[in-house]
Coordinates of all heavy atoms in Angstrom, one line a residue:
M928 N -5.0 13.8 3.7 CA -4.6 13.1 4.9 C -4.3 11.7 4.5 O -4.7 11.2 3.5 CB -5.7 13.1 5.9 CG -6.0 14.6 6.4 SD -6.9 14.6 7.9 CE -8.5 14.6 7.2
F929 N -3.5 11.0 5.4 CA -3.0 9.7 5.1 C -2.8 8.9 6.4 O -2.7 9.5 7.5 CB -1.8 9.7 4.2 CG -0.6 10.4 4.9 CD1 0.3 9.6 5.6 CD2 -0.4 11.7 4.7 CE1 1.4 10.2 6.2 CE2 0.7 12.3 5.4 CZ 1.6 11.6 6.1
V930 N -2.6 7.6 6.2 CA -2.3 6.7 7.3 C -1.1 5.9 6.8 O -1.0 5.5 5.7 CB -3.5 5.9 7.8 CG1 -4.0 5.0 6.7 CG2 -3.2 5.1 9.0
V931 N -0.2 5.5 7.8 CA 0.9 4.7 7.5 C 0.6 3.3 8.0 O 0.2 3.2 9.2 CB 2.2 5.2 8.0 CG1 3.4 4.2 7.8 CG2 2.6 6.5 7.4
V932 N 0.8 2.2 7.2 CA 0.5 0.9 7.6 C 1.8 0.0 7.4 O 2.5 0.2 6.4 CB -0.6 0.3 6.7 CG1 -0.9 -1.2 7.0 CG2 -1.9 1.1 6.8
T933 N 2.1 -0.8 8.4 CA 3.2 -1.7 8.3 C 2.7 -3.1 7.7 O 1.8 -3.7 8.2 CB 3.9 -1.9 9.6 OG1 4.3 -0.7 10.1 CG2 5.1 -2.9 9.5
L934 N 3.4 -3.6 6.7 CA 3.0 -4.8 6.0 C 4.0 -5.9 6.4 O 5.2 -5.6 6.8 CB 3.1 -4.7 4.5 CG 2.1 -3.6 3.9 CD1 2.3 -3.6 2.4 CD2 0.7 -3.9 4.3
P935 N 3.6 -7.2 6.3 CA 4.5 -8.3 6.7 C 5.6 -8.6 5.6 O 6.3 -9.5 5.7 CB 3.6 -9.5 6.8 CG 2.4 -9.2 5.9 CD 2.3 -7.7 6.0
M936 N 5.6 -7.8 4.5 CA 6.5 -8.0 3.5 C 7.1 -6.7 3.0 O 6.6 -5.6 3.4 CB 5.9 -8.7 2.3 CG 4.9 -7.9 1.5 SD 3.4 -7.8 2.3 CE 2.3 -8.3 1.0
R937 N 8.2 -6.7 2.3 CA 8.8 -5.5 1.8 C 7.9 -4.8 0.9 O 7.3 -5.4 -0.1 CB 10.1 -5.8 1.0 CG 10.9 -4.6 0.6 CD 12.3 -5.0 0.1 NE 13.0 -3.9 -0.3 CZ 13.6 -3.0 0.5 NH1 13.5 -3.1 1.8 NH2 14.2 -1.9 0.0
A938 N 7.7 -3.5 1.1 CA 6.8 -2.7 0.3 C 7.6 -1.8 -0.6 O 7.9 -0.7 -0.3 CB 5.9 -1.8 1.3
D939 N 7.9 -2.3 -1.8 CA 8.7 -1.6 -2.7 C 8.0 -1.3 -4.0 O 6.8 -1.6 -4.1 CB 10.0 -2.3 -3.0 CG 9.8 -3.7 -3.5 OD1 8.6 -4.0 -4.0 OD2 10.7 -4.6 -3.5
D940 N 8.6 -0.7 -5.0 CA 8.0 -0.3 -6.2 C 7.5 -1.6 -7.0 O 6.5 -1.5 -7.7 CB 8.9 0.5 -7.1 CG 9.2 1.9 -6.4 OD1 8.3 2.4 -5.8 OD2 10.3 2.4 -6.6
V941 N 8.2 -2.7 -6.9 CA 7.7 -3.9 -7.5 C 6.4 -4.4 -7.0 O 5.5 -4.7 -7.7 CB 8.8 -5.0 -7.4 CG1 8.3 -6.4 -7.9 CG2 10.1 -4.6 -8.1
L942 N 6.3 -4.3 -5.7 CA 5.0 -4.7 -5.0 C 3.9 -3.7 -5.4 O 2.8 -4.1 -5.6 CB 5.2 -4.8 -3.5 CG 3.9 -5.3 -2.8 CD1 3.6 -6.8 -3.2 CD2 4.1 -5.3 -1.3
L943 N 4.2 -2.4 -5.4 CA 3.3 -1.4 -5.8 C 2.7 -1.7 -7.2 O 1.5 -1.6 -7.5 CB 3.9 0.0 -5.8 CG 3.0 1.1 -6.3 CD1 1.7 1.2 -5.6 CD2 3.8 2.4 -6.2
T944 N 3.6 -2.0 -8.1 CA 3.2 -2.3 -9.5 C 2.2 -3.5 -9.5 O 1.2 -3.5 -10.1 CB 4.4 -2.6 -10.4 OG1 5.2 -1.4 -10.5 CG2 3.9 -3.0 -11.8
R945 N 2.6 -4.6 -8.8 CA 1.7 -5.7 -8.7 C 0.3 -5.4 -8.0 O -0.7 -5.8 -8.5 CB 2.4 -6.8 -7.8 CG 1.6 -8.1 -7.6 CD 2.4 -9.0 -6.8 NE 1.7 -10.2 -6.5 CZ 1.6 -11.3 -7.3 NH1 2.3 -11.3 -8.4 NH2 1.0 -12.4 -7.0
S946 N 0.4 -4.5 -7.0 CA -0.8 -4.1 -6.3 C -1.7 -3.4 -7.3 O -3.0 -3.6 -7.3 CB -0.4 -3.2 -5.1 OG -1.5 -2.7 -4.5
A947 N -1.2 -2.5 -8.1 CA -2.0 -1.7 -9.0 C -2.5 -2.6 -10.1 O -3.7 -2.5 -10.5 CB -1.2 -0.6 -9.6
E948 N -1.7 -3.4 -10.7 CA -2.1 -4.2 -11.9 C -3.1 -5.4 -11.5 O -4.1 -5.6 -12.2 CB -0.9 -4.8 -12.6 CG 0.0 -3.8 -13.2 CD 1.2 -4.3 -13.9 OE1 1.6 -5.5 -13.6 OE2 1.9 -3.6 -14.6
R949 N -2.8 -6.1 -10.4 CA -3.6 -7.3 -10.1 C -4.7 -7.0 -9.1 O -5.7 -7.7 -9.1 CB -2.7 -8.3 -9.5 CG -1.8 -9.0 -10.5 CD -1.2 -10.3 -10.1 NE -2.2 -11.3 -9.9 CZ -2.1 -12.3 -9.1 NH1 -0.9 -12.6 -8.5 NH2 -3.1 -13.2 -8.9
F950 N -4.6 -5.9 -8.3 CA -5.6 -5.7 -7.2 C -6.3 -4.3 -7.3 O -7.2 -4.1 -6.5 CB -4.9 -5.9 -5.9 CG -4.4 -7.3 -5.7 CD1 -3.1 -7.6 -6.0 CD2 -5.3 -8.4 -5.3 CE1 -2.6 -8.9 -5.9 CE2 -4.8 -9.6 -5.2 CZ -3.5 -9.9 -5.5
G951 N -5.8 -3.5 -8.2 CA -6.4 -2.2 -8.4 C -6.3 -1.2 -7.2 O -7.2 -0.4 -7.0
V952 N -5.3 -1.3 -6.4 CA -5.1 -0.4 -5.3 C -3.7 0.2 -5.3 O -2.7 -0.4 -5.6 CB -5.3 -1.2 -3.9 CG1 -4.3 -2.2 -3.7 CG2 -5.4 -0.2 -2.8
L953 N -3.7 1.5 -5.1 CA -2.4 2.3 -5.1 C -2.1 2.8 -3.7 O -3.0 3.0 -2.9 CB -2.6 3.5 -6.0 CG -2.8 3.2 -7.5 CD1 -3.1 4.5 -8.2 CD2 -1.6 2.5 -8.1
W954 N -0.8 2.9 -3.5 CA -0.3 3.4 -2.2 C 1.2 3.9 -2.5 O 1.7 3.7 -3.6 CB -0.3 2.3 -1.1 CG 0.1 0.9 -1.6 CD1 -0.7 -0.1 -2.1 CD2 1.4 0.4 -1.8 NE1 0.0 -1.2 -2.4 CE2 1.3 -0.9 -2.3 CE3 2.7 0.9 -1.5 CZ2 2.4 -1.7 -2.5 CZ3 3.8 0.1 -1.8 CH2 3.6 -1.2 -2.3
T955 N 1.7 4.5 -1.5 CA 3.1 5.0 -1.7 C 4.0 4.3 -0.8 O 3.8 4.2 0.4 CB 3.1 6.5 -1.3 OG1 2.2 7.2 -2.1 CG2 4.5 7.1 -1.5
P956 N 5.1 3.7 -1.3 CA 6.1 3.1 -0.4 C 6.8 4.1 0.5 O 7.2 5.1 0.0 CB 7.1 2.5 -1.4 CG 6.5 2.4 -2.7 CD 5.5 3.6 -2.7
M957 N 6.8 3.8 1.8 CA 7.3 4.8 2.7 C 8.8 4.9 2.7 O 9.4 5.9 3.1 CB 6.9 4.5 4.2 CG 5.4 4.8 4.4 SD 5.1 6.6 4.3 CE 6.1 7.3 5.6
Y958 N 9.5 3.9 2.1 CA 11.0 4.1 2.1 C 11.4 5.3 1.3 O 12.6 5.8 1.5 CB 11.6 2.8 1.6 CG 11.6 2.5 0.1 CD1 12.6 3.0 -0.7 CD2 10.6 1.8 -0.4 CE1 12.5 2.8 -2.1 CE2 10.5 1.6 -1.8 CZ 11.5 2.1 -2.6 OH 11.4 1.8 -4.0
H959 N 10.6 5.8 0.4 CA 10.9 7.0 -0.3 C 11.1 8.2 0.6 O 11.7 9.2 0.2 CB 9.9 7.3 -1.4 CG 9.8 6.3 -2.5 ND1 10.9 6.1 -3.4 CD2 8.9 5.5 -2.9 CE1 10.6 5.2 -4.3 NE2 9.4 4.8 -4.0
F960 N 10.5 8.2 1.8 CA 10.5 9.3 2.7 C 11.7 9.2 3.8 O 11.8 10.0 4.6 CB 9.2 9.4 3.5 CG 8.0 9.6 2.6 CD1 7.3 8.6 2.0 CD2 7.7 10.9 2.3 CE1 6.2 8.9 1.2 CE2 6.6 11.2 1.4 CZ 5.9 10.2 0.9
Y961 N 12.5 8.2 3.7 CA 13.6 8.0 4.6 C 15.0 8.2 3.9 O 15.1 7.8 2.7 CB 13.6 6.5 5.2 CG 12.5 6.3 6.1 CD1 11.2 6.0 5.7 CD2 12.8 6.3 7.5 CE1 10.2 5.8 6.7 CE2 11.8 6.1 8.4 CZ 10.5 5.8 8.0 OH 9.5 5.6 8.9
A962 N 15.9 8.7 4.6 CA 17.3 8.9 4.0 C 18.0 7.6 4.1 O 18.9 7.4 3.2 CB 18.0 10.0 4.8
G963 N 17.7 6.7 5.0 CA 18.4 5.5 5.2 C 17.6 4.3 4.8 O 16.9 4.3 3.8
E964 N 17.6 3.3 5.7 CA 16.9 2.0 5.4 C 15.5 2.0 5.9 O 14.8 1.0 5.8 CB 17.7 0.9 6.0 CG 19.1 0.7 5.4 CD 19.0 0.2 4.0 OE1 18.2 -0.7 3.7 OE2 19.8 0.8 3.2
G965 N 15.0 3.0 6.6 CA 13.7 2.9 7.2 C 12.5 2.8 6.2 O 12.7 3.1 5.0
G966 N 11.4 2.4 6.7 CA 10.2 2.3 5.9 C 10.1 1.2 4.9 O 9.1 1.2 4.1
S967 N 10.9 0.2 5.0 CA 10.9 -0.8 3.9 C 9.7 -1.7 4.0 O 9.4 -2.3 2.9 CB 12.2 -1.7 4.1 OG 12.2 -2.4 5.3
H968 N 9.0 -1.7 5.1 CA 7.8 -2.6 5.1 C 6.5 -1.7 5.4 O 5.5 -2.2 5.7 CB 7.9 -3.6 6.3 CG 8.8 -4.7 6.0 ND1 10.2 -4.6 5.9 CD2 8.6 -6.0 5.6 CE1 10.7 -5.7 5.6 NE2 9.8 -6.6 5.4
Q969 N 6.6 -0.4 5.1 CA 5.5 0.5 5.4 C 5.0 1.1 4.1 O 5.7 1.4 3.2 CB 5.9 1.6 6.3 CG 6.3 1.1 7.7 CD 6.9 2.2 8.6 OE1 7.6 3.1 8.1 NE2 6.4 2.2 9.8
I970 N 3.7 1.4 4.1 CA 3.0 2.0 3.0 C 2.2 3.2 3.5 O 1.8 3.2 4.7 CB 2.1 1.1 2.2 CG1 1.0 0.5 3.0 CG2 3.0 0.0 1.6 CD1 0.0 -0.3 2.2
R971 N 2.0 4.2 2.6 CA 1.2 5.4 3.0 C -0.1 5.3 2.2 O 0.0 5.2 0.9 CB 2.0 6.6 2.6 CG 1.3 7.9 2.9 CD 2.2 9.0 2.6 NE 1.5 10.1 2.0 CZ 2.0 11.4 1.9 NH1 3.1 11.7 2.4 NH2 1.3 12.3 1.3
L972 N -1.2 5.3 2.9 CA -2.5 5.2 2.2 C -3.2 6.6 2.3 O -3.4 7.1 3.5 CB -3.4 4.2 2.9 CG -2.9 2.7 2.9 CD1 -3.8 1.8 3.7 CD2 -2.8 2.2 1.4
S973 N -3.5 7.2 1.2 CA -4.3 8.5 1.2 C -5.8 8.2 1.3 O -6.3 7.2 0.7 CB -4.0 9.2 0.0 OG -2.6 9.6 -0.1
F974 N -6.5 9.0 2.1 CA -7.9 8.8 2.2 C -8.8 10.0 2.2 O -10.0 10.0 2.2 CB -8.2 8.0 3.5 CG -7.8 8.7 4.8 CD1 -8.7 9.6 5.4 CD2 -6.6 8.5 5.3 CE1 -8.4 10.2 6.6 CE2 -6.2 9.1 6.5 CZ -7.1 10.0 7.1
S975 N -8.2 11.2 2.1 CA -8.9 12.4 2.2 C -9.9 12.7 1.2 O -10.9 13.4 1.4 CB -7.9 13.6 2.3 OG -7.2 13.7 1.1
A976 N -9.7 12.1 0.0 CA -10.7 12.4 -1.1 C -11.6 11.2 -1.4 O -12.3 11.1 -2.4 CB -9.9 12.7 -2.4
L977 N -11.6 10.2 -0.5 CA -12.4 9.0 -0.7 C -13.6 8.9 0.2 O -13.6 9.4 1.4 CB -11.5 7.8 -0.5 CG -10.3 7.6 -1.4 CD1 -9.5 6.4 -0.9 CD2 -10.8 7.5 -2.8
T978 N -14.7 8.3 -0.3 CA -15.8 8.0 0.6 C -15.5 6.8 1.5 O -14.6 6.0 1.1 CB -17.1 7.7 -0.3 OG1 -16.8 6.5 -1.0 CG2 -17.4 8.8 -1.3
P979 N -16.3 6.7 2.5 CA -16.1 5.5 3.4 C -16.2 4.2 2.6 O -15.5 3.2 2.8 CB -17.2 5.6 4.5 CG -17.4 7.1 4.6 CD -17.2 7.6 3.2
E980 N -17.1 4.2 1.6 CA -17.3 3.0 0.8 C -16.1 2.7 -0.1 O -15.7 1.5 -0.2 CB -18.6 3.1 -0.1 CG -19.9 3.2 0.6 CD -20.2 4.6 1.2 OE1 -19.5 5.6 0.8 OE2 -21.0 4.7 2.2
R981 N -15.5 3.7 -0.6 CA -14.3 3.5 -1.4 C -13.1 3.1 -0.6 O -12.3 2.3 -1.0 CB -13.9 4.8 -2.2 CG -14.9 5.2 -3.3 CD -15.1 4.1 -4.4 NE -13.9 3.9 -5.1 CZ -13.6 2.9 -5.8 NH1 -14.5 1.9 -6.0 NH2 -12.5 2.7 -6.5
I982 N -13.0 3.6 0.7 CA -12.0 3.1 1.6 C -12.2 1.6 1.9 O -11.2 0.9 1.9 CB -12.0 4.0 2.9 CG1 -11.6 5.4 2.6 CG2 -11.2 3.4 4.0 CD1 -11.8 6.4 3.7
D983 N -13.4 1.2 2.1 CA -13.6 -0.2 2.4 C -13.2 -1.1 1.2 O -12.6 -2.1 1.4 CB -15.1 -0.5 2.7 CG -15.6 0.0 4.0 OD1 -14.8 0.3 4.9 OD2 -16.8 0.2 4.2
V984 N -13.5 -0.6 0.0 CA -13.1 -1.4 -1.2 C -11.5 -1.4 -1.3 O -11.0 -2.5 -1.5 CB -13.6 -0.7 -2.5 CG1 -13.0 -1.3 -3.7 CG2 -15.1 -0.9 -2.6
G985 N -10.9 -0.3 -1.0 CA -9.4 -0.3 -1.1 C -8.8 -1.2 0.0 O -7.8 -1.9 -0.3
I986 N -9.3 -1.2 1.2 CA -8.8 -2.0 2.2 C -9.0 -3.5 1.9 O -8.1 -4.3 2.1 CB -9.4 -1.7 3.6 CG1 -9.0 -0.3 4.0 CG2 -9.0 -2.7 4.7 CD1 -7.5 -0.1 4.2
A987 N -10.1 -3.9 1.3 CA -10.3 -5.2 0.9 C -9.3 -5.7 -0.1 O -8.8 -6.8 -0.1 CB -11.8 -5.4 0.4
R988 N -9.1 -4.8 -1.1 CA -8.1 -5.1 -2.1 C -6.7 -5.3 -1.6 O -6.0 -6.1 -2.0 CB -8.1 -4.0 -3.2 CG -9.4 -4.0 -4.0 CD -9.4 -2.9 -5.0 NE -10.6 -2.8 -5.8 CZ -10.9 -2.0 -6.7 NH1 -10.0 -1.0 -7.0 NH2 -12.0 -2.0 -7.4
L989 N -6.4 -4.4 -0.6 CA -5.1 -4.4 0.0 C -4.9 -5.7 0.8 O -3.9 -6.4 0.7 CB -4.8 -3.2 0.9 CG -3.5 -3.2 1.6 CD1 -2.4 -3.1 0.6 CD2 -3.5 -2.0 2.6
A990 N -6.0 -6.2 1.5 CA -6.0 -7.4 2.2 C -5.7 -8.6 1.3 O -5.0 -9.5 1.6 CB -7.3 -7.6 3.0
R991 N -6.3 -8.6 0.1 CA -6.1 -9.6 -0.9 C -4.6 -9.7 -1.4 O -4.1 -10.7 -1.6 CB -7.1 -9.5 -2.1 CG -8.5 -9.9 -1.7 CD -9.4 -10.1 -2.9 NE -9.5 -9.0 -3.8 CZ -10.4 -8.0 -3.7 NH1 -11.2 -8.0 -2.7 NH2 -10.4 -7.1 -4.6
L992 N -4.1 -8.5 -1.6 CA -2.6 -8.4 -1.9 C -1.8 -9.1 -0.8 O -0.9 -9.9 -1.1 CB -2.2 -7.0 -2.1 CG -0.7 -6.7 -2.3 CD1 -0.2 -7.3 -3.6 CD2 -0.4 -5.2 -2.1
V993 N -2.0 -8.7 0.4 CA -1.2 -9.2 1.5 C -1.4 -10.8 1.6 O -0.4 -11.5 1.8 CB -1.6 -8.5 2.8 CG1 -0.9 -9.2 4.0 CG2 -1.2 -7.1 2.8
A994 N -2.6 -11.2 1.5 CA -2.9 -12.7 1.6 C -2.2 -13.4 0.4 O -1.7 -14.5 0.6 CB -4.4 -12.9 1.5
D995 N -2.2 -12.8 -0.8 CA -1.5 -13.4 -1.9 C 0.0 -13.5 -1.8 O 0.6 -14.4 -2.3 CB -1.9 -12.5 -3.2 CG -1.3 -13.1 -4.4 OD1 -1.7 -14.3 -4.8 OD2 -0.4 -12.5 -5.1
R996 N 0.5 -12.6 -1.0 CA 2.0 -12.6 -0.8 C 2.4 -13.4 0.4 O 3.6 -13.7 0.6 CB 2.5 -11.1 -0.6 CG 2.3 -10.3 -1.8 CD 3.2 -10.6 -2.9 NE 4.6 -10.4 -2.5 CZ 5.6 -10.7 -3.2 NH1 5.5 -11.2 -4.4 NH2 6.8 -10.5 -2.7
A997 N 1.5 -13.8 1.3 CA 1.8 -14.5 2.5 C 2.1 -16.0 2.2 O 1.9 -16.5 1.3 CB 0.6 -14.4 3.5

């Protein structure tokens, strides 16, 4: 299962690489799921195989990424 989140910045493969390397959190850019221009600021977060504690860690890391880019 997953949830889609809208970010205040473009969510592309460059940001994904930065997210993984600097913040240790992975997600899927939603623009890959659109035929046109949609999803450019959205990410897909998977959670079905994570404990609540790991979800909290991932959300905190994602928040640091967003704050760093703001």
Side-chain angles (χ1 to χ4, degrees):
M928 294 195 271
F929 63 90
V930 63
V931 175
V932 176
T933 300
L934 299 180
M936 71 282 237
R937 184 167 180 78
D939 57 17
D940 295 325
V941 172
L942 185 64
L943 173 58
T944 298
R945 180 181 177 86
S946 177
E948 291 176 352
R949 289 198 61 202
F950 299 94
V952 64
L953 296 174
W954 40 267
T955 303
M957 283 300 295
Y958 76 88
H959 291 298
F960 296 92
Y961 288 80
E964 295 294 317
S967 65
H968 286 72
Q969 296 175 318
I970 62 173
R971 178 174 141 164
L972 300 172
S973 298
F974 63 87
S975 60
L977 299 175
T978 64
E980 294 80 18
R981 294 300 297 161
I982 292 170
D983 288 344
V984 168
I986 294 299
R988 291 177 181 180
L989 181 61
R991 287 196 302 274
L992 169 70
V993 171
D995 184 63
R996 297 289 298 178

